[in-house]
Amino acid sequence: VMQCSASLDVLFLLDGSYSIGKGSFERSKHFAGKLCDALDIHPDRVRVGMIQFSSTPHLEFPLDSYLTKQEVKERIKRTLFRGGSTETGRALKYILRKGFPGGRNSSVPEVLIIISDGKSQGSTAMPAMQVKERHITVFAVGIKFPRWEELHMLASEPPEQHLLFAGDADDAANGLYSALTGSVCSTTAPGCKVESHPCEHRTLETVKELAGNYVCWKGSKQPNAVQASQCPFIRMGRARLPAESLSFPWSCLDPCDSQPCQNGGTCVPEGLDRYHCLCLVGYGGDFHCAAKLSPECGVDLLFLLDSSAGVTLEGFLRYKAFLKRFLQAVMGQDSPMNVGVAQYDDDVRIPIELGQHKDALSLMKSIDALNFSGGRTLTGRALQYIAEHGFRSTSVFADMGDDLPRVVVLLTDSKSQDSVAEAPQYVKDQNLFLIGVGSSFMRAELTKVTGNPQQTIVYSDPQDLFNRIPELQRRICSVDNAEGCQAQSLDLAFAMDASSGVGLENFLRLRHFVRSSCSHFSINRDVTQIALVIYGSKAHTAFALATHTSNSAVLQAIDQVPFLGDSASAGSALLHIYGDVMTVHKGARPGVNKVVVLLTNGGGLEDAAAPAQQLRHNGILVFVVVVGDTQRDTLLRVAGSPSYLIHISSYEDLQYYQGFIIERICEEAKSPVNLCKPNPCMNQGVCILGPGSYRCECHGWEGPHCESRVLRGDSPRSPVLPPHSHVHWSPRGLQHFSRAFQHTKRH
């Protein structure tokens, strides 16, 4: 990061008014923190202070309060939104009267950074001119949907250097650095040059337009009379208008106003109703910055970094950054992992021995010290060396004698210049688990290197690489728990699209995928039960949860499933699963996690959101696996969360996602279960939850699950439990349940 290193006083003036709103104020804080990255904050160099203004200005902290960059950024993060009217002129007069609080009395250059939407209640022209006459350099930063003409008046000349847009924090930080370099900063970083790019400012405003006329009732003064009339129909929308054009005083809800991002994440809007979260390191577990990843697996983990000319210096630095962020996210103080790092080109070096560091901080420093070498890409030779020598170094913890699983993570973005055909055998001979990580064009070679497409992770662009951190963590930890779902009880239903939109050839691929996935589960009454539903315009149960009790029977049944070939209705399939598959009557077990995997090409999803929500409300998880291009909004409504949406580009790529999908299902199989969701009671019975048990309250029916009609007269009753008896569940009790249920059905 380029930094302005000079004697400089910088004062942030943050708009905290209601027109900004709390969501945009949080982004203003994030933006101010980003600008601090371009400043060399130190008592003798750059000092930073902050004022928040709305109806009145409020000094958040003077320039001499915090003396390091970290302290300043932490204090900015803790600033609370105040709210009020937008009195920018009053805030500027406060600065004219008080100066820069805690500053150095104009003995050093003064920089004022105003972050606002430029919609002030009073006049700002005169105080803005007086501030600039005092030789204060003013940067005006547009936030939310800025009114550029006012910001233009606030900023110093030339405007193209002093007007910034907070929509792209990194670009604005570079712009601030570039502008300061031309005037006050002492040096420009070597190898960098400043280029100016004129920009045309267009402000995004809410506008109303006449969309047409509709006949409507206007009412009448006469009793019992209705007066119809042509009423105008107004449509509200957003339009990008030139800065000098008039804007309409309408406002819409900001998608970030509800503060959807957790754990200090920053919400960034994308249009009217979409947003994404910028997460702090270690909190990118899901779309909303879920809690820090915490692998409970103990492994010997060796990263092998490509340092050849083919990966380039930029690629090598990217892998170093990825490695640091990964370890920050997953390596706690008492981590059971032993981590080492090797790098290769013509030769192989192990600069960080396995287990050399047991805390993340010292490991980060060692990773920082790794240097790019730039020789040939000899991946095959490197893997052979690592297989033979990578895990033989004497660790400082070697006396503990722990025999941990051994994992190698290969990070490469360059085709090998030697043979990698023998690599899977090297790894297998030494009982190692190899994971390959690279860009998408490396997929074929990584699959050859690992010998298994499920052990390859590919990314589409540099940012996508960092999004793969949770996936890599799961891959690494799967070696420590090879059984996966084997020890977990699970009721699993596949809903497979068999419509004409999929086509026969792709249907066969989907069927093969389901068959291959089922082979990874231990299928019996006490562990995993599997059902399969195929659907076109209607849904059909190929086999229910209680139909097959062995892997061979399930695999054989899948082979018999026919192609339907009509239109698709995913909603009818999910409704069918809710009412006719995930029920006690059809073999679903109370106290067992339930998962539905919907396999679709994205067609026929219009009616699927409501039944999917109904399934989730009743404790049944829905994974949506979609192949091909489909509207993400529609998919998210069905999946409920990006965590349960798996988007695959082609049917040929299904095989690469099988391991990932099974891991996600197995994770969910470990979550707590509500014994009354879905309702185990038949015939409108009410489930009453107790500590570790439940009972069914029946009306006109009897039995543990209200399965037997109450007989009239003196007829003998079936020998079933009384209707209010408690049913206790444990893993062993599941077998008893299935037998008892079969017994009840016979009666």
Side-chain angles (χ1 to χ4, degrees), residues 4-12 32 35-36 38-50 61-69 71-73 76 100-113 176 180 184:
C4 179
S5 187
S7 292
L8 190 64
D9 282 351
V10 176
L11 181 63
F12 285 107
L35 291 187
C36 287
L39 304 171
D40 185 9
I41 298 173
H42 185 275
D44 300 328
R45 294 188 286 276
V46 181
R47 294 187 184 182
V48 174
M50 190 165 82
F61 59 93
L63 285 89
D64 55 359
S65 290
Y66 302 102
L67 306 179
T68 69
K69 183 179 300 186
E71 288 175 344
V72 169
K73 291 178 73 171
I76 291 172
F100 276 35
R104 285 165 277 190
N105 301 321
S106 304
S107 61
V108 300
E110 294 177 321
V111 174
L112 179 65
I113 301 176
L176 175 72
L180 292 176
V184 291

Short mmCIF file of all heavy atoms in Angstrom, two decimals, residues 4-12 32 35-36 38-50 61-69 71-73 76 100-113 176 180 184:
data_model
loop_
_atom_site.label_atom_id
_atom_site.label_comp_id
_atom_site.label_asym_id
_atom_site.label_seq_id
_atom_site.Cartn_x
_atom_site.Cartn_y
_atom_site.Cartn_z
N CYS A 4 1.12 8.21 2.18
CA CYS A 4 1.59 9.58 2.20
C CYS A 4 2.35 9.79 3.51
O CYS A 4 1.77 9.72 4.59
CB CYS A 4 0.41 10.54 2.12
SG CYS A 4 0.92 12.26 2.18
N SER A 5 3.68 10.00 3.40
CA SER A 5 4.51 10.17 4.58
C SER A 5 5.01 11.61 4.61
O SER A 5 5.98 11.96 3.96
CB SER A 5 5.67 9.17 4.52
OG SER A 5 6.40 9.20 5.72
N ALA A 6 4.31 12.46 5.35
CA ALA A 6 4.67 13.89 5.44
C ALA A 6 4.10 14.43 6.74
O ALA A 6 3.30 13.79 7.40
CB ALA A 6 4.09 14.65 4.25
N SER A 7 4.52 15.65 7.12
CA SER A 7 3.90 16.33 8.25
C SER A 7 2.58 16.89 7.76
O SER A 7 2.55 17.79 6.91
CB SER A 7 4.81 17.45 8.76
OG SER A 7 5.97 16.90 9.34
N LEU A 8 1.49 16.36 8.28
CA LEU A 8 0.17 16.65 7.70
C LEU A 8 -0.89 16.48 8.78
O LEU A 8 -0.83 15.53 9.57
CB LEU A 8 -0.07 15.64 6.56
CG LEU A 8 -1.26 15.85 5.63
CD1 LEU A 8 -1.10 17.13 4.84
CD2 LEU A 8 -1.36 14.66 4.66
N ASP A 9 -1.84 17.41 8.87
CA ASP A 9 -2.99 17.27 9.77
C ASP A 9 -4.23 16.98 8.92
O ASP A 9 -4.59 17.77 8.04
CB ASP A 9 -3.22 18.56 10.57
CG ASP A 9 -2.24 18.68 11.73
OD1 ASP A 9 -1.51 17.70 11.99
OD2 ASP A 9 -2.18 19.75 12.36
N VAL A 10 -4.88 15.85 9.20
CA VAL A 10 -6.05 15.42 8.43
C VAL A 10 -7.26 15.36 9.35
O VAL A 10 -7.23 14.69 10.39
CB VAL A 10 -5.82 14.04 7.78
CG1 VAL A 10 -7.08 13.57 7.06
CG2 VAL A 10 -4.65 14.09 6.81
N LEU A 11 -8.33 16.07 8.98
CA LEU A 11 -9.54 16.08 9.78
C LEU A 11 -10.69 15.52 8.94
O LEU A 11 -10.99 16.04 7.86
CB LEU A 11 -9.88 17.51 10.23
CG LEU A 11 -11.13 17.67 11.11
CD1 LEU A 11 -10.98 16.92 12.44
CD2 LEU A 11 -11.40 19.15 11.37
N PHE A 12 -11.33 14.43 9.42
CA PHE A 12 -12.51 13.88 8.76
C PHE A 12 -13.75 14.62 9.25
O PHE A 12 -13.92 14.83 10.45
CB PHE A 12 -12.67 12.39 9.07
CG PHE A 12 -11.71 11.50 8.34
CD1 PHE A 12 -10.66 10.90 9.00
CD2 PHE A 12 -11.88 11.25 6.99
CE1 PHE A 12 -9.77 10.07 8.33
CE2 PHE A 12 -11.00 10.42 6.31
CZ PHE A 12 -9.94 9.83 6.99
N ALA A 32 -13.62 5.88 5.64
CA ALA A 32 -12.61 6.67 6.36
C ALA A 32 -11.46 5.78 6.80
O ALA A 32 -10.29 6.16 6.73
CB ALA A 32 -13.26 7.35 7.57
N LEU A 35 -9.21 5.20 3.86
CA LEU A 35 -8.36 6.35 3.57
C LEU A 35 -7.17 6.41 4.53
O LEU A 35 -6.08 6.85 4.16
CB LEU A 35 -9.16 7.65 3.66
CG LEU A 35 -10.22 7.88 2.57
CD1 LEU A 35 -10.80 9.27 2.69
CD2 LEU A 35 -9.66 7.67 1.18
N CYS A 36 -7.38 5.96 5.77
CA CYS A 36 -6.27 5.93 6.74
C CYS A 36 -5.13 5.03 6.24
O CYS A 36 -3.97 5.25 6.59
CB CYS A 36 -6.76 5.46 8.10
SG CYS A 36 -7.76 6.68 8.97
N ALA A 38 -3.94 4.99 3.40
CA ALA A 38 -3.08 5.76 2.50
C ALA A 38 -2.27 6.82 3.25
O ALA A 38 -1.55 7.60 2.63
CB ALA A 38 -3.93 6.43 1.42
N LEU A 39 -2.38 6.83 4.59
CA LEU A 39 -1.71 7.85 5.40
C LEU A 39 -0.74 7.19 6.38
O LEU A 39 -1.08 6.21 7.04
CB LEU A 39 -2.74 8.68 6.18
CG LEU A 39 -3.83 9.36 5.34
CD1 LEU A 39 -4.91 9.94 6.24
CD2 LEU A 39 -3.23 10.45 4.45
N ASP A 40 0.45 7.76 6.48
CA ASP A 40 1.47 7.25 7.41
C ASP A 40 1.24 7.92 8.77
O ASP A 40 1.86 8.93 9.11
CB ASP A 40 2.87 7.57 6.86
CG ASP A 40 3.97 6.95 7.71
OD1 ASP A 40 3.64 6.14 8.61
OD2 ASP A 40 5.15 7.28 7.48
N ILE A 41 0.32 7.36 9.57
CA ILE A 41 -0.12 8.00 10.82
C ILE A 41 0.94 7.82 11.91
O ILE A 41 1.33 6.70 12.23
CB ILE A 41 -1.48 7.44 11.26
CG1 ILE A 41 -2.54 7.75 10.19
CG2 ILE A 41 -1.89 8.01 12.62
CD1 ILE A 41 -3.89 7.10 10.43
N HIS A 42 1.40 8.96 12.43
CA HIS A 42 2.48 8.98 13.44
C HIS A 42 2.47 10.39 14.03
O HIS A 42 2.17 11.37 13.32
CB HIS A 42 3.82 8.66 12.76
CG HIS A 42 4.97 8.55 13.71
ND1 HIS A 42 5.69 9.65 14.15
CD2 HIS A 42 5.53 7.46 14.31
CE1 HIS A 42 6.64 9.24 14.98
NE2 HIS A 42 6.56 7.92 15.09
N PRO A 43 2.81 10.56 15.34
CA PRO A 43 2.77 11.91 15.94
C PRO A 43 3.58 12.95 15.17
O PRO A 43 3.21 14.13 15.14
CB PRO A 43 3.35 11.69 17.34
CG PRO A 43 3.22 10.24 17.61
CD PRO A 43 3.17 9.53 16.31
N ASP A 44 4.70 12.53 14.54
CA ASP A 44 5.56 13.49 13.83
C ASP A 44 5.22 13.60 12.35
O ASP A 44 5.79 14.44 11.65
CB ASP A 44 7.04 13.08 13.98
CG ASP A 44 7.47 13.06 15.44
OD1 ASP A 44 6.93 13.87 16.21
OD2 ASP A 44 8.31 12.20 15.79
N ARG A 45 4.33 12.72 11.85
CA ARG A 45 4.00 12.76 10.43
C ARG A 45 2.51 13.09 10.26
O ARG A 45 2.12 14.24 10.43
CB ARG A 45 4.41 11.44 9.78
CG ARG A 45 5.93 11.24 9.80
CD ARG A 45 6.38 10.02 9.00
NE ARG A 45 6.09 8.76 9.67
CZ ARG A 45 6.88 8.21 10.61
NH1 ARG A 45 8.01 8.82 10.99
NH2 ARG A 45 6.55 7.05 11.16
N VAL A 46 1.68 12.13 9.93
CA VAL A 46 0.27 12.42 9.69
C VAL A 46 -0.53 12.22 10.99
O VAL A 46 -0.45 11.16 11.62
CB VAL A 46 -0.31 11.50 8.59
CG1 VAL A 46 -1.79 11.85 8.35
CG2 VAL A 46 0.47 11.67 7.29
N ARG A 47 -1.27 13.27 11.37
CA ARG A 47 -2.20 13.16 12.50
C ARG A 47 -3.63 13.18 11.96
O ARG A 47 -3.91 13.87 10.98
CB ARG A 47 -2.01 14.31 13.49
CG ARG A 47 -0.66 14.30 14.20
CD ARG A 47 -0.65 15.38 15.27
NE ARG A 47 0.66 15.49 15.92
CZ ARG A 47 0.93 16.33 16.92
NH1 ARG A 47 -0.02 17.14 17.37
NH2 ARG A 47 2.13 16.38 17.46
N VAL A 48 -4.52 12.45 12.64
CA VAL A 48 -5.90 12.34 12.16
C VAL A 48 -6.88 12.64 13.30
O VAL A 48 -6.68 12.17 14.43
CB VAL A 48 -6.18 10.92 11.60
CG1 VAL A 48 -7.66 10.76 11.24
CG2 VAL A 48 -5.33 10.66 10.36
N GLY A 49 -7.93 13.42 13.01
CA GLY A 49 -9.03 13.67 13.93
C GLY A 49 -10.35 13.53 13.20
O GLY A 49 -10.39 13.40 11.97
N MET A 50 -11.46 13.58 13.95
CA MET A 50 -12.75 13.39 13.29
C MET A 50 -13.86 14.18 13.98
O MET A 50 -13.94 14.23 15.21
CB MET A 50 -13.15 11.91 13.25
CG MET A 50 -14.35 11.65 12.36
SD MET A 50 -14.59 9.91 11.96
CE MET A 50 -15.43 9.37 13.43
N PHE A 61 -13.03 12.89 18.03
CA PHE A 61 -11.72 12.82 18.67
C PHE A 61 -10.78 13.84 18.00
O PHE A 61 -10.82 14.00 16.77
CB PHE A 61 -11.12 11.41 18.64
CG PHE A 61 -10.92 10.82 17.27
CD1 PHE A 61 -9.69 10.95 16.60
CD2 PHE A 61 -11.92 10.10 16.66
CE1 PHE A 61 -9.50 10.37 15.36
CE2 PHE A 61 -11.73 9.53 15.40
CZ PHE A 61 -10.52 9.67 14.76
N PRO A 62 -9.96 14.57 18.81
CA PRO A 62 -9.02 15.55 18.23
C PRO A 62 -7.82 14.86 17.58
O PRO A 62 -7.63 13.64 17.73
CB PRO A 62 -8.59 16.38 19.45
CG PRO A 62 -8.81 15.49 20.62
CD PRO A 62 -9.96 14.57 20.27
N LEU A 63 -7.01 15.64 16.89
CA LEU A 63 -5.91 15.07 16.11
C LEU A 63 -4.78 14.50 16.96
O LEU A 63 -3.98 13.71 16.46
CB LEU A 63 -5.33 16.12 15.15
CG LEU A 63 -6.19 16.42 13.92
CD1 LEU A 63 -7.18 17.53 14.18
CD2 LEU A 63 -5.33 16.75 12.71
N ASP A 64 -4.69 14.91 18.22
CA ASP A 64 -3.58 14.41 19.04
C ASP A 64 -4.01 13.28 19.99
O ASP A 64 -3.29 12.94 20.92
CB ASP A 64 -2.98 15.57 19.85
CG ASP A 64 -4.03 16.31 20.70
OD1 ASP A 64 -5.21 15.92 20.63
OD2 ASP A 64 -3.65 17.26 21.40
N SER A 65 -5.21 12.68 19.74
CA SER A 65 -5.69 11.63 20.66
C SER A 65 -5.06 10.28 20.38
O SER A 65 -4.64 9.57 21.29
CB SER A 65 -7.21 11.48 20.53
OG SER A 65 -7.86 12.59 21.06
N TYR A 66 -4.99 9.90 19.11
CA TYR A 66 -4.53 8.56 18.75
C TYR A 66 -3.31 8.68 17.84
O TYR A 66 -3.33 9.42 16.85
CB TYR A 66 -5.65 7.77 18.07
CG TYR A 66 -6.87 7.66 18.95
CD1 TYR A 66 -7.99 8.47 18.73
CD2 TYR A 66 -6.90 6.77 20.02
CE1 TYR A 66 -9.11 8.38 19.55
CE2 TYR A 66 -8.01 6.67 20.85
CZ TYR A 66 -9.11 7.48 20.61
OH TYR A 66 -10.20 7.39 21.42
N LEU A 67 -2.28 7.92 18.16
CA LEU A 67 -0.98 8.16 17.53
C LEU A 67 -0.55 7.05 16.58
O LEU A 67 0.52 7.13 15.98
CB LEU A 67 0.09 8.36 18.62
CG LEU A 67 -0.26 9.45 19.65
CD1 LEU A 67 0.83 9.55 20.69
CD2 LEU A 67 -0.47 10.80 18.97
N THR A 68 -1.36 5.99 16.45
CA THR A 68 -1.03 4.94 15.49
C THR A 68 -2.23 4.70 14.58
O THR A 68 -3.38 5.01 14.93
CB THR A 68 -0.68 3.60 16.19
OG1 THR A 68 -1.87 3.07 16.80
CG2 THR A 68 0.41 3.80 17.24
N LYS A 69 -1.96 4.13 13.43
CA LYS A 69 -3.02 3.86 12.46
C LYS A 69 -4.08 2.92 13.03
O LYS A 69 -5.28 3.13 12.86
CB LYS A 69 -2.40 3.26 11.19
CG LYS A 69 -3.43 3.00 10.08
CD LYS A 69 -2.79 2.44 8.84
CE LYS A 69 -1.75 3.37 8.27
NZ LYS A 69 -1.22 2.93 6.98
N GLU A 71 -4.95 2.44 16.16
CA GLU A 71 -5.79 3.12 17.16
C GLU A 71 -6.84 4.00 16.48
O GLU A 71 -8.01 4.04 16.89
CB GLU A 71 -4.91 3.97 18.08
CG GLU A 71 -4.05 3.17 19.06
CD GLU A 71 -3.11 4.06 19.85
OE1 GLU A 71 -2.92 5.22 19.45
OE2 GLU A 71 -2.58 3.60 20.87
N VAL A 72 -6.42 4.75 15.45
CA VAL A 72 -7.35 5.64 14.74
C VAL A 72 -8.48 4.82 14.10
O VAL A 72 -9.66 5.16 14.23
CB VAL A 72 -6.61 6.48 13.67
CG1 VAL A 72 -7.60 7.20 12.77
CG2 VAL A 72 -5.67 7.48 14.33
N LYS A 73 -8.12 3.73 13.41
CA LYS A 73 -9.13 2.93 12.71
C LYS A 73 -10.10 2.28 13.70
O LYS A 73 -11.31 2.19 13.44
CB LYS A 73 -8.45 1.87 11.84
CG LYS A 73 -7.71 2.47 10.64
CD LYS A 73 -7.00 1.43 9.81
CE LYS A 73 -7.95 0.61 8.99
NZ LYS A 73 -7.26 -0.25 8.03
N ILE A 76 -12.50 5.01 14.86
CA ILE A 76 -13.49 5.31 13.82
C ILE A 76 -14.57 4.24 13.82
O ILE A 76 -15.77 4.52 13.72
CB ILE A 76 -12.81 5.40 12.43
CG1 ILE A 76 -11.93 6.66 12.35
CG2 ILE A 76 -13.85 5.42 11.31
CD1 ILE A 76 -11.08 6.74 11.09
N PHE A 100 -8.35 23.18 13.62
CA PHE A 100 -8.24 21.72 13.65
C PHE A 100 -7.92 21.31 15.09
O PHE A 100 -6.78 21.45 15.54
CB PHE A 100 -7.13 21.24 12.71
CG PHE A 100 -7.55 21.08 11.27
CD1 PHE A 100 -8.48 21.95 10.70
CD2 PHE A 100 -7.03 20.07 10.48
CE1 PHE A 100 -8.89 21.80 9.38
CE2 PHE A 100 -7.42 19.92 9.16
CZ PHE A 100 -8.35 20.79 8.61
N PRO A 101 -8.91 20.81 15.88
CA PRO A 101 -8.65 20.49 17.30
C PRO A 101 -7.53 19.47 17.46
O PRO A 101 -7.54 18.42 16.82
CB PRO A 101 -9.99 19.90 17.76
CG PRO A 101 -11.01 20.40 16.79
CD PRO A 101 -10.29 20.53 15.50
N GLY A 102 -6.52 19.84 18.27
CA GLY A 102 -5.38 18.93 18.47
C GLY A 102 -4.36 18.99 17.36
O GLY A 102 -3.41 18.21 17.35
N GLY A 103 -4.55 19.92 16.41
CA GLY A 103 -3.61 20.03 15.30
C GLY A 103 -2.40 20.88 15.65
O GLY A 103 -2.20 21.27 16.81
N ARG A 104 -1.61 21.20 14.64
CA ARG A 104 -0.35 21.90 14.88
C ARG A 104 -0.40 23.36 14.43
O ARG A 104 0.58 23.92 13.95
CB ARG A 104 0.79 21.13 14.20
CG ARG A 104 1.16 19.86 14.96
CD ARG A 104 2.02 18.90 14.14
NE ARG A 104 1.21 18.05 13.26
CZ ARG A 104 1.69 17.00 12.59
NH1 ARG A 104 2.97 16.66 12.72
NH2 ARG A 104 0.91 16.28 11.81
N ASN A 105 -1.59 23.98 14.55
CA ASN A 105 -1.76 25.43 14.35
C ASN A 105 -1.22 25.93 13.01
O ASN A 105 -0.43 26.86 12.95
CB ASN A 105 -1.09 26.21 15.49
CG ASN A 105 -1.67 25.83 16.83
OD1 ASN A 105 -2.87 25.63 16.95
ND2 ASN A 105 -0.82 25.69 17.84
N SER A 106 -1.62 25.30 11.95
CA SER A 106 -1.27 25.72 10.58
C SER A 106 0.22 25.70 10.28
O SER A 106 0.66 26.19 9.25
CB SER A 106 -1.81 27.13 10.28
OG SER A 106 -3.20 27.17 10.49
N SER A 107 1.05 25.15 11.21
CA SER A 107 2.48 25.03 10.91
C SER A 107 2.73 23.90 9.93
O SER A 107 3.81 23.78 9.36
CB SER A 107 3.27 24.80 12.21
OG SER A 107 2.85 23.59 12.83
N VAL A 108 1.75 23.03 9.77
CA VAL A 108 1.83 21.96 8.76
C VAL A 108 0.60 22.06 7.88
O VAL A 108 -0.42 22.66 8.28
CB VAL A 108 1.90 20.56 9.43
CG1 VAL A 108 3.11 20.44 10.33
CG2 VAL A 108 0.63 20.24 10.18
N PRO A 109 0.63 21.51 6.67
CA PRO A 109 -0.55 21.57 5.80
C PRO A 109 -1.76 20.91 6.47
O PRO A 109 -1.63 19.93 7.21
CB PRO A 109 -0.11 20.78 4.56
CG PRO A 109 1.38 20.84 4.57
CD PRO A 109 1.79 20.88 6.00
N GLU A 110 -2.94 21.49 6.21
CA GLU A 110 -4.17 20.96 6.79
C GLU A 110 -5.07 20.43 5.67
O GLU A 110 -5.26 21.08 4.64
CB GLU A 110 -4.91 22.06 7.57
CG GLU A 110 -4.15 22.52 8.81
CD GLU A 110 -4.84 23.65 9.54
OE1 GLU A 110 -5.40 24.55 8.86
OE2 GLU A 110 -4.82 23.64 10.78
N VAL A 111 -5.61 19.23 5.90
CA VAL A 111 -6.47 18.57 4.90
C VAL A 111 -7.80 18.25 5.56
O VAL A 111 -7.85 17.61 6.61
CB VAL A 111 -5.82 17.27 4.37
CG1 VAL A 111 -6.80 16.53 3.46
CG2 VAL A 111 -4.54 17.59 3.61
N LEU A 112 -8.88 18.71 4.95
CA LEU A 112 -10.24 18.43 5.44
C LEU A 112 -10.90 17.45 4.47
O LEU A 112 -10.96 17.72 3.26
CB LEU A 112 -11.05 19.72 5.53
CG LEU A 112 -12.51 19.58 6.00
CD1 LEU A 112 -12.57 19.09 7.45
CD2 LEU A 112 -13.25 20.91 5.85
N ILE A 113 -11.39 16.30 4.98
CA ILE A 113 -12.05 15.30 4.14
C ILE A 113 -13.52 15.25 4.56
O ILE A 113 -13.85 14.75 5.64
CB ILE A 113 -11.39 13.92 4.27
CG1 ILE A 113 -9.91 14.00 3.87
CG2 ILE A 113 -12.11 12.89 3.40
CD1 ILE A 113 -9.13 12.71 4.07
N LEU A 176 -6.91 9.77 -3.22
CA LEU A 176 -6.43 10.67 -2.16
C LEU A 176 -4.91 10.70 -2.14
O LEU A 176 -4.28 11.76 -2.09
CB LEU A 176 -6.97 10.20 -0.80
CG LEU A 176 -6.44 10.97 0.41
CD1 LEU A 176 -7.05 12.36 0.46
CD2 LEU A 176 -6.71 10.23 1.71
N LEU A 180 -2.55 14.01 -2.95
CA LEU A 180 -1.63 14.52 -1.93
C LEU A 180 -0.18 14.44 -2.39
O LEU A 180 0.65 15.28 -2.03
CB LEU A 180 -1.81 13.75 -0.62
CG LEU A 180 -3.14 13.96 0.11
CD1 LEU A 180 -3.23 13.07 1.33
CD2 LEU A 180 -3.31 15.42 0.52
N VAL A 184 1.71 17.69 -1.09
CA VAL A 184 2.37 17.69 0.21
C VAL A 184 3.20 16.44 0.52
O VAL A 184 4.14 16.52 1.31
CB VAL A 184 1.32 17.87 1.34
CG1 VAL A 184 0.75 19.26 1.32
CG2 VAL A 184 0.22 16.83 1.26
#
